[in-house]
Amino acid sequence: MKSTMKKMTCRALVVSLLALSFQTANAGMIGADRAADTAPADRTLVLSVLDRAETTAQLQAQGIDPATARARVNAMTDQEVQAVAQNIQT
C-alpha cells in the first residue's frame, strides 16, 4: 500500500515537473532609449500647459515671458521634464 502511494506521488511529481519545465521566463536589460519612451509625451504635456490662456496670463502677471518659459522647457533634460509632468498630473 505504501509503495503504491509512493509510486503515485513520484509519478505526479514527474508529470508536474515536466509540465512546468516548459514555462520559462525571459529577462534582459533594456537600453536607456527604450526606458525613456515617455519623454516626448511629457514634453508635449508641459508645453501644452504653457500654451493655455490661463497659464500665459499667470506667467505674464509674474513678469515671465511665455516664450522664454517655452524655451526653458525645451532646454530641460528629459528627467526634469518628467518631474514637471508628474507634478502637473498630480
Side-chain angles (χ1 to χ4, degrees):
M1 186 79 168
K2 287 186 178 183
S3 66
T4 306
M5 193 66 149
K6 285 182 183 179
K7 285 181 184 179
M8 288 178 58
T9 303
C10 287
R11 289 178 184 156
L13 288 173
V14 167
V15 168
S16 65
L17 286 174
L18 289 174
L20 294 175
S21 67
F22 294 112
Q23 298 176 359
T24 59
N26 294 325
M29 299 295 291
I30 60 171
D33 56 333
R34 288 184 57 198
D37 284 339
T38 62
D42 290 341
R43 193 171 302 276
T44 303
L45 173 69
V46 173
L47 289 172
S48 69
V49 170
L50 289 176
D51 289 337
R52 294 180 188 166
E54 62 268 13
T55 306
T56 303
Q58 288 178 359
L59 288 171
Q60 288 173 341
Q62 294 178 8
I64 301 169
D65 182 30
T68 305
R70 277 189 221 93
R72 292 185 82 177
V73 169
N74 287 326
M76 294 170 101
T77 65
D78 291 340
Q79 290 83 10
E80 292 170 333
V81 172
Q82 183 181 20
V84 172
Q86 285 177 349
N87 285 338
I88 290 171
Q89 292 172 348
T90 56

